[in-house]
Amino acid sequence: RTCVQGFIEPTRFFQEYVIPGYPVVFKGAAKEFPAFQRWTDEYFLSLEESKEWMIEYELGKKETREGGQEPISFADYIKRYNDEDLYCVTGLPKFLRGDMPIFGPLNCKFVLTKLMDDLVMWFSSGGTKSVWHYDDYENLNCLIKGKKELILANRSEMELGHFQREGSFSKVDVDSVNLNTYPGFSEITFYNATIEAGDCVYIPTFWGHVVRSWGRNIAINAWWDIYKTPFECTPPDFSDWGAVSLTTDSDIGKAGEEVIKDTEGARELSGNLRLLMWSSLSMRKSGRISRFDFLEALSEFEEEILGLLESVHGSPQDMTEEECLWYLISWMLTKINIWTLEK
């Protein structure tokens, strides 16, 4: 089922949707959140922390990935966003996390302590348009205010999506697709999900998507690391996001035993490697890949892989180049836990 009423329990969510990689809409699931009633502009401005808490916004509601983000206090953004072409994309401020209970399908200690990456606020006066892109994280997005339309495509068709290797997005104009320049779009099967305030949608890793918004629009999405192995779900001893450690810029390896420092370019390369390996598997019905094919695919990235190892661990003085390469491959497999190699 692609649409269910309210949230479902975590074990079912992971078994039926996350592990196989199927999107799903949870109708009305966020209507019980305190934020659903509280989050007016007046409420935000009444909070003393809003005057000092710095967030980031993008200039322009139609995303291009060519511009950067600008810092601004949360209160100043509230005073400007209705009259200017601004789009707030920022980590959910800590002083607002108490208004957001843990999303029901993620309410597992293992998920929240080992897999969680970030909680992001998407806030505008409406009229935003994203680029055509994919995420190399799992994504559960809850809409608190407004309306959104998502156009999605299965990751099995990502080769048709004209994605750039660097940046995980396409330069196609989402308002007017030139099929001479981007012929693959004529062959993709697209799916539509239109959600309203109170709905949540799960977007699987590597599914292509574009998002549009209408009306005063606030959404909060949770990103977590890929993990495709069944696990036992035990509830945490906390009930809201205020107790969850969200470390967007501090590490890229929470799902494995290693906690690895993130540096410029390391997160993006990590995502590229995950995409490469997932693509190799997604083309095979058996879900298996030979060691030869796996290593042949990785050979293209040998220099980048060694560079990533050095960037996250420092110069590997006591390891040969071959040992370094195998060490990083081993780490990638431990971290993502989704590939099976044939002997």
Side-chain angles (χ1 to χ4, degrees):
R1 298 177 61 187
T2 57
C3 184
V4 298
Q5 191 65 38
F7 281 140
I8 57 178
E9 53 91 19
T11 300
R12 180 185 168 195
F13 173 58
F14 275 82
Q15 288 181 346
E16 295 185 13
Y17 297 101
V18 178
I19 291 175
Y22 298 142
V24 60
V25 172
F26 298 110
K27 292 294 295 182
K31 288 185 177 181
E32 301 301 318
F33 295 175
F36 188 77
Q37 299 295 335
R38 294 177 183 172
W39 281 7
T40 64
D41 290 350
E42 292 74 22
Y43 171 74
F44 288 147
L45 292 173
S46 73
L47 302 174
E48 194 65 27
E49 296 93 334
S50 70
K51 300 175 184 178
E52 303 295 332
W53 193 274
M54 300 301 292
I55 63 167
E56 294 180 323
Y57 71 90
E58 298 176 359
L59 281 170
K61 295 180 182 179
K62 184 175 181 179
E63 185 184 19
T64 63
R65 301 270 174 115
E66 294 179 357
Q69 292 184 312
E70 299 292 333
I72 191 174
S73 75
F74 191 63
D76 284 342
Y77 178 81
I78 299 298
K79 296 172 183 177
R80 291 175 52 185
Y81 81 99
N82 278 311
D83 301 316
E84 300 181 41
D85 192 22
L86 308 180
Y87 191 12
C88 167
V89 181
T90 194
L92 179 62
K94 288 184 178 179
F95 65 91
L96 294 176
R97 291 180 188 173
D99 293 340
M100 295 292 295
I102 302 296
F103 301 165
L106 304 182
N107 199 30
C108 288
K109 186 175 182 179
F110 174 72
V111 175
L112 296 171
T113 60
K114 297 295 184 180
L115 303 183
M116 277 303 304
D117 179 74
D118 204 8
L119 202 63
V120 177
M121 170 180 268
W122 309 78
F123 184 7
S124 75
S125 59
T128 60
K129 301 172 186 177
S130 76
V131 293
W132 175 247
H133 68 289
Y134 64 83
D135 299 317
D136 62 354
Y137 287 91
E138 307 284 11
N139 183 350
L140 183 55
N141 189 308
C142 287
L143 185 60
I144 307 303
K145 303 292 181 183
K147 180 179 179 180
K148 286 187 184 292
E149 179 188 37
L150 298 90
I151 306 297
L152 304 99
N154 196 305
R155 60 187 168 215
S156 65
E157 297 189 307
M158 62 170 54
E159 296 299 324
L160 302 172
H162 298 276
F163 293 115
Q164 297 186 155
R165 173 169 289 171
E166 296 183 2
S168 67
F169 73 100
S170 171
K171 291 187 176 181
V172 64
D173 185 342
V174 296
D175 288 325
S176 180
V177 178
N178 185 328
L179 293 179
N180 291 319
T181 306
Y182 303 99
F185 281 88
S186 65
E187 302 180 46
I188 295 176
T189 299
F190 292 100
Y191 302 86
N192 178 285
T194 299
I195 60 174
E196 299 177 341
D199 297 340
C200 300
V201 59
Y202 163 60
I203 306 171
T205 312
F206 301 135
W207 272 61
H209 57 284
V210 62
V211 186
R212 302 171 185 267
S213 71
W214 290 270
R216 181 175 181 268
N217 214 273
I218 306 177
I220 305 297
N221 89 283
W223 271 320
W224 70 96
D225 284 322
I226 305 170
Y227 196 84
K228 299 295 186 180
T229 301
F231 59 90
E232 182 179 352
C233 177
T234 56
D237 53 5
F238 45 83
S239 61
D240 65 57
W241 292 108
V244 179
S245 176
L246 303 172
T247 50
T248 304
D249 300 318
S250 63
D251 69 88
I252 58 172
K254 294 187 290 299
E257 295 181 0
E258 299 282 340
V259 177
I260 300 180
K261 181 181 178 182
D262 189 16
T263 56
E264 183 177 359
R267 181 185 295 276
E268 182 173 303
L269 177 55
S270 173
N272 288 338
L273 291 172
R274 286 190 281 183
L275 173 60
L276 170 67
M277 289 185 272
W278 183 270
S279 297
S280 296
L281 284 186
S282 68
M283 298 300 119
R284 295 165 171 79
K285 292 182 180 179
S286 64
R288 301 174 70 87
I289 181 172
S290 71
R291 291 178 184 273
F292 177 80
D293 288 342
F294 176 75
L295 294 175
E296 185 178 48
L298 281 184
S299 65
E300 179 183 350
F301 288 96
E302 182 172 348
E303 292 185 6
E304 294 170 289
I305 289 172
L306 294 172
L308 173 59
L309 178 61
E310 184 171 348
S311 72
V312 298
H313 275 301
S315 180
Q317 301 288 345
D318 301 324
M319 300 173 70
T320 67
E321 186 172 286
E322 184 176 3
E323 288 172 335
C324 290
L325 185 60
W326 279 106
Y327 178 87
L328 189 57
I329 292 172
S330 175
W331 165 71
M332 290 292 296
L333 293 172
T334 301
K335 171 177 165 47
I336 303 172
N337 199 23
I338 60 173
W339 302 289
T340 302
L341 298 183
E342 295 177 341
K343 293 183 179 180

